[in-house]
Amino acid sequence: MAHDSAPGTAPAGPWPDGVPALADPAGGITLRAHRRTDQPDMIEACNDPEVVRWSTVPIPEGGYSSAEAEEYYRIVRAGWASGERLSWAIEGEFEGRRRFCGSIDLRVDGRQGEVGYLLHPAARGRSMMSTALRLVRDHAFEVVGLEAIHWRAVVGNWSSRRVAAAAGFVFDGTVRRCLDHRGELLDGWQATITRDDPRAPLPWLDPPRLTGPRAVLRPFSETDADRVVQACTDPRTRHWLVSMPQPYTHHDALDYIELTRELAARRSGLAWCIADPHDDRCLGSISLEGFGGYSRRAEIGYWAHPSARGLGVVTAAVRLVTAYAEEVGLVDSIVIRCAAGNTASRHVAEGSGYTQAGVLPASEPLGDGELADLISYSRP
């Protein structure tokens, strides 16, 4: 699409009449100028705990109010006048009528820009924000003439990162202490999409819930952290899995849970909590990692909480993961590797239908400092 403004210069116009409306009828979304009639919904959204947690909306004593909303209108007006900050209200339907659902803005800096957004809690879970971001992305490239758009968020803001991936933003990595968040410097994530990049969504590998009579496999949650600590401080676990931090703390468990989500986000693996089918307690962990390689070969890894050992729980979990991977065609082959002396792990592999494929002598470090032979198992 041609545009009249110079590359990297937003078509400036008076607010609100000069704000171009962007619409996706299939998604039920219209981006339009903010209105003062949006204030009640805007105030409600900006006082939502998740918005407060992850965004930098001003929260004075007493909360976000009409005074802050009026100041935001002033910022929006100035942004459109200068062409440096283009802000839209997201209009969609919830609670039976079309209304303000959130805000999205594009901050222009020469030939590049940065997006930011927030959504009313009642409008979440319906892909409204990813639809809105795609509209702004296309407008930025095709009308404003930008060459690259960046997205940044505080580490841990998974919902925002998921929205960016759905709009084709490619994850660049984590930058330490790069975001000033309410007076504190926090680690930040960054993703980018360029004019030349494909605009297709980058789907995540969300671990599906897998159910069997002895175990349920589900994503990890923060409530599993105490059980993870108990398992990963167990001497037997530490002897066979020497890569774990020592001492292993609650913070390490939360980092591990975040890592399981990172595997899904990067589409490099899947990790499940092995849960008790009766009370949902964490009984262990199982992962399938190594996607994306040229060989289409993945590896299953696992550990068990001490209370779950000897019950066949991990063997049941391996069977569930194997059946799932083979059914959906995730990979062409699966391997399991364990130390020769780890009889429990070997029994799991063999009890799950895997057969010994080879041995690497003295290649697996153990907790006592020794090196053990590493046995590889594969599906026949």
Side-chain angles (χ1 to χ4, degrees), residues 4 62 72 74 95 156 158 169 174 212 228 243 275 293 324 358 366 380:
D4 298 329
Y72 178 68
R74 186 195 67 77
E95 296 180 351
W158 290 102
F169 282 69
T174 302
V228 173
S243 61
Y324 167 73
L366 302 180

PDB file of all heavy atoms in Angstrom, residues 4 62 72 74 95 156 158 169 174 212 228 243 275 293 324 358 366 380:
ATOM      1  N   ASP A   4       1.634   8.596   1.744  1.00  0.00           N
ATOM      2  CA  ASP A   4       2.052   9.926   1.338  1.00  0.00           C
ATOM      3  C   ASP A   4       3.151  10.496   2.206  1.00  0.00           C
ATOM      4  O   ASP A   4       3.900  11.364   1.777  1.00  0.00           O
ATOM      5  CB  ASP A   4       0.839  10.879   1.385  1.00  0.00           C
ATOM      6  CG  ASP A   4      -0.247  10.442   0.408  1.00  0.00           C
ATOM      7  OD1 ASP A   4       0.109   9.867  -0.636  1.00  0.00           O
ATOM      8  OD2 ASP A   4      -1.430  10.659   0.707  1.00  0.00           O
ATOM      9  N   GLY A  62      -5.046   5.736  45.916  1.00  0.00           N
ATOM     10  CA  GLY A  62      -6.462   5.761  45.581  1.00  0.00           C
ATOM     11  C   GLY A  62      -6.766   5.157  44.226  1.00  0.00           C
ATOM     12  O   GLY A  62      -7.928   4.946  43.881  1.00  0.00           O
ATOM     13  N   TYR A  72      -3.982  11.079  30.176  1.00  0.00           N
ATOM     14  CA  TYR A  72      -3.723  10.168  29.063  1.00  0.00           C
ATOM     15  C   TYR A  72      -4.269  10.750  27.762  1.00  0.00           C
ATOM     16  O   TYR A  72      -3.613  10.684  26.711  1.00  0.00           O
ATOM     17  CB  TYR A  72      -4.344   8.803  29.346  1.00  0.00           C
ATOM     18  CG  TYR A  72      -4.154   7.818  28.212  1.00  0.00           C
ATOM     19  CD1 TYR A  72      -2.887   7.320  27.908  1.00  0.00           C
ATOM     20  CD2 TYR A  72      -5.232   7.401  27.430  1.00  0.00           C
ATOM     21  CE1 TYR A  72      -2.702   6.417  26.862  1.00  0.00           C
ATOM     22  CE2 TYR A  72      -5.051   6.497  26.387  1.00  0.00           C
ATOM     23  CZ  TYR A  72      -3.779   6.019  26.110  1.00  0.00           C
ATOM     24  OH  TYR A  72      -3.588   5.145  25.071  1.00  0.00           O
ATOM     25  N   ARG A  74      -4.456  13.827  27.021  1.00  0.00           N
ATOM     26  CA  ARG A  74      -3.516  14.878  26.621  1.00  0.00           C
ATOM     27  C   ARG A  74      -2.311  14.265  25.909  1.00  0.00           C
ATOM     28  O   ARG A  74      -1.853  14.772  24.877  1.00  0.00           O
ATOM     29  CB  ARG A  74      -3.044  15.666  27.854  1.00  0.00           C
ATOM     30  CG  ARG A  74      -2.173  16.867  27.514  1.00  0.00           C
ATOM     31  CD  ARG A  74      -1.450  17.393  28.733  1.00  0.00           C
ATOM     32  NE  ARG A  74      -0.457  16.428  29.234  1.00  0.00           N
ATOM     33  CZ  ARG A  74       0.728  16.241  28.657  1.00  0.00           C
ATOM     34  NH1 ARG A  74       1.071  16.913  27.566  1.00  0.00           N
ATOM     35  NH2 ARG A  74       1.571  15.359  29.171  1.00  0.00           N
ATOM     36  N   GLU A  95     -19.871  -8.316  27.285  1.00  0.00           N
ATOM     37  CA  GLU A  95     -21.029  -8.048  28.150  1.00  0.00           C
ATOM     38  C   GLU A  95     -22.196  -7.505  27.344  1.00  0.00           C
ATOM     39  O   GLU A  95     -22.934  -6.617  27.781  1.00  0.00           O
ATOM     40  CB  GLU A  95     -20.634  -7.099  29.289  1.00  0.00           C
ATOM     41  CG  GLU A  95     -19.604  -7.711  30.236  1.00  0.00           C
ATOM     42  CD  GLU A  95     -19.210  -6.775  31.357  1.00  0.00           C
ATOM     43  OE1 GLU A  95     -19.597  -5.584  31.320  1.00  0.00           O
ATOM     44  OE2 GLU A  95     -18.525  -7.233  32.284  1.00  0.00           O
ATOM     45  N   GLY A 156       8.471 -12.595  32.289  1.00  0.00           N
ATOM     46  CA  GLY A 156       7.378 -13.230  33.017  1.00  0.00           C
ATOM     47  C   GLY A 156       6.006 -12.850  32.505  1.00  0.00           C
ATOM     48  O   GLY A 156       5.016 -13.502  32.858  1.00  0.00           O
ATOM     49  N   TRP A 158       3.907 -13.520  30.196  1.00  0.00           N
ATOM     50  CA  TRP A 158       3.684 -14.516  29.150  1.00  0.00           C
ATOM     51  C   TRP A 158       2.517 -14.176  28.245  1.00  0.00           C
ATOM     52  O   TRP A 158       2.550 -14.470  27.039  1.00  0.00           O
ATOM     53  CB  TRP A 158       3.486 -15.887  29.780  1.00  0.00           C
ATOM     54  CG  TRP A 158       4.736 -16.426  30.385  1.00  0.00           C
ATOM     55  CD1 TRP A 158       5.062 -16.449  31.714  1.00  0.00           C
ATOM     56  CD2 TRP A 158       5.863 -16.988  29.694  1.00  0.00           C
ATOM     57  NE1 TRP A 158       6.315 -17.004  31.886  1.00  0.00           N
ATOM     58  CE2 TRP A 158       6.818 -17.344  30.663  1.00  0.00           C
ATOM     59  CE3 TRP A 158       6.133 -17.233  28.351  1.00  0.00           C
ATOM     60  CZ2 TRP A 158       8.035 -17.932  30.340  1.00  0.00           C
ATOM     61  CZ3 TRP A 158       7.351 -17.818  28.010  1.00  0.00           C
ATOM     62  CH2 TRP A 158       8.289 -18.162  29.001  1.00  0.00           C
ATOM     63  N   PHE A 169       5.929 -11.605  15.631  1.00  0.00           N
ATOM     64  CA  PHE A 169       7.148 -11.036  16.198  1.00  0.00           C
ATOM     65  C   PHE A 169       8.103 -12.170  16.584  1.00  0.00           C
ATOM     66  O   PHE A 169       7.706 -13.119  17.252  1.00  0.00           O
ATOM     67  CB  PHE A 169       6.833 -10.194  17.432  1.00  0.00           C
ATOM     68  CG  PHE A 169       6.287  -8.824  17.116  1.00  0.00           C
ATOM     69  CD1 PHE A 169       5.016  -8.678  16.568  1.00  0.00           C
ATOM     70  CD2 PHE A 169       7.036  -7.693  17.354  1.00  0.00           C
ATOM     71  CE1 PHE A 169       4.500  -7.431  16.270  1.00  0.00           C
ATOM     72  CE2 PHE A 169       6.530  -6.432  17.074  1.00  0.00           C
ATOM     73  CZ  PHE A 169       5.253  -6.296  16.524  1.00  0.00           C
ATOM     74  N   THR A 174      16.477 -12.065  26.073  1.00  0.00           N
ATOM     75  CA  THR A 174      16.313 -11.359  27.341  1.00  0.00           C
ATOM     76  C   THR A 174      17.451 -10.371  27.515  1.00  0.00           C
ATOM     77  O   THR A 174      18.607 -10.705  27.303  1.00  0.00           O
ATOM     78  CB  THR A 174      16.308 -12.357  28.512  1.00  0.00           C
ATOM     79  OG1 THR A 174      15.252 -13.306  28.319  1.00  0.00           O
ATOM     80  CG2 THR A 174      16.112 -11.638  29.841  1.00  0.00           C
ATOM     81  N   GLY A 212      -4.020 -40.616  32.151  1.00  0.00           N
ATOM     82  CA  GLY A 212      -3.956 -42.064  32.279  1.00  0.00           C
ATOM     83  C   GLY A 212      -4.439 -42.474  33.654  1.00  0.00           C
ATOM     84  O   GLY A 212      -4.671 -41.630  34.526  1.00  0.00           O
ATOM     85  N   VAL A 228       8.438 -29.358  43.854  1.00  0.00           N
ATOM     86  CA  VAL A 228       9.659 -29.387  43.034  1.00  0.00           C
ATOM     87  C   VAL A 228      10.888 -29.278  43.922  1.00  0.00           C
ATOM     88  O   VAL A 228      11.875 -30.001  43.740  1.00  0.00           O
ATOM     89  CB  VAL A 228       9.632 -28.261  41.976  1.00  0.00           C
ATOM     90  CG1 VAL A 228      10.971 -28.174  41.246  1.00  0.00           C
ATOM     91  CG2 VAL A 228       8.505 -28.492  40.973  1.00  0.00           C
ATOM     92  N   SER A 243      23.279 -31.397  37.380  1.00  0.00           N
ATOM     93  CA  SER A 243      23.198 -30.046  36.814  1.00  0.00           C
ATOM     94  C   SER A 243      22.280 -29.125  37.614  1.00  0.00           C
ATOM     95  O   SER A 243      22.244 -27.916  37.362  1.00  0.00           O
ATOM     96  CB  SER A 243      22.694 -30.114  35.363  1.00  0.00           C
ATOM     97  OG  SER A 243      21.393 -30.694  35.315  1.00  0.00           O
ATOM     98  N   ALA A 275       1.166 -35.384  37.558  1.00  0.00           N
ATOM     99  CA  ALA A 275       0.301 -35.077  38.696  1.00  0.00           C
ATOM    100  C   ALA A 275      -0.517 -36.292  39.111  1.00  0.00           C
ATOM    101  O   ALA A 275      -0.860 -37.154  38.290  1.00  0.00           O
ATOM    102  CB  ALA A 275      -0.633 -33.919  38.348  1.00  0.00           C
ATOM    103  N   GLY A 293      15.542 -29.569  15.245  1.00  0.00           N
ATOM    104  CA  GLY A 293      16.810 -29.978  14.671  1.00  0.00           C
ATOM    105  C   GLY A 293      16.625 -30.641  13.323  1.00  0.00           C
ATOM    106  O   GLY A 293      15.520 -31.022  12.931  1.00  0.00           O
ATOM    107  N   TYR A 324       1.653 -39.911  22.607  1.00  0.00           N
ATOM    108  CA  TYR A 324       1.255 -38.605  22.068  1.00  0.00           C
ATOM    109  C   TYR A 324       2.190 -38.168  20.948  1.00  0.00           C
ATOM    110  O   TYR A 324       1.739 -37.746  19.868  1.00  0.00           O
ATOM    111  CB  TYR A 324       1.257 -37.567  23.187  1.00  0.00           C
ATOM    112  CG  TYR A 324       1.158 -36.142  22.684  1.00  0.00           C
ATOM    113  CD1 TYR A 324      -0.045 -35.650  22.182  1.00  0.00           C
ATOM    114  CD2 TYR A 324       2.270 -35.301  22.708  1.00  0.00           C
ATOM    115  CE1 TYR A 324      -0.137 -34.348  21.707  1.00  0.00           C
ATOM    116  CE2 TYR A 324       2.182 -34.003  22.238  1.00  0.00           C
ATOM    117  CZ  TYR A 324       0.982 -33.535  21.733  1.00  0.00           C
ATOM    118  OH  TYR A 324       0.909 -32.253  21.259  1.00  0.00           O
ATOM    119  N   GLY A 358      22.814 -48.336  22.786  1.00  0.00           N
ATOM    120  CA  GLY A 358      24.255 -48.135  22.814  1.00  0.00           C
ATOM    121  C   GLY A 358      24.723 -47.623  24.153  1.00  0.00           C
ATOM    122  O   GLY A 358      23.919 -47.265  25.029  1.00  0.00           O
ATOM    123  N   LEU A 366      28.356 -37.828  37.897  1.00  0.00           N
ATOM    124  CA  LEU A 366      27.473 -38.137  39.017  1.00  0.00           C
ATOM    125  C   LEU A 366      27.766 -37.215  40.187  1.00  0.00           C
ATOM    126  O   LEU A 366      28.776 -36.500  40.203  1.00  0.00           O
ATOM    127  CB  LEU A 366      27.650 -39.602  39.435  1.00  0.00           C
ATOM    128  CG  LEU A 366      27.399 -40.653  38.356  1.00  0.00           C
ATOM    129  CD1 LEU A 366      27.617 -42.055  38.920  1.00  0.00           C
ATOM    130  CD2 LEU A 366      25.994 -40.528  37.776  1.00  0.00           C
ATOM    131  N   PRO A 380      11.928 -49.518  19.399  1.00  0.00           N
ATOM    132  CA  PRO A 380      12.264 -50.503  18.389  1.00  0.00           C
ATOM    133  C   PRO A 380      11.555 -50.188  17.055  1.00  0.00           C
ATOM    134  O   PRO A 380      10.562 -49.509  17.023  1.00  0.00           O
ATOM    135  CB  PRO A 380      11.756 -51.813  18.982  1.00  0.00           C
ATOM    136  CG  PRO A 380      10.713 -51.414  19.966  1.00  0.00           C
ATOM    137  CD  PRO A 380      11.125 -50.068  20.502  1.00  0.00           C
TER     138      PRO A 380
END
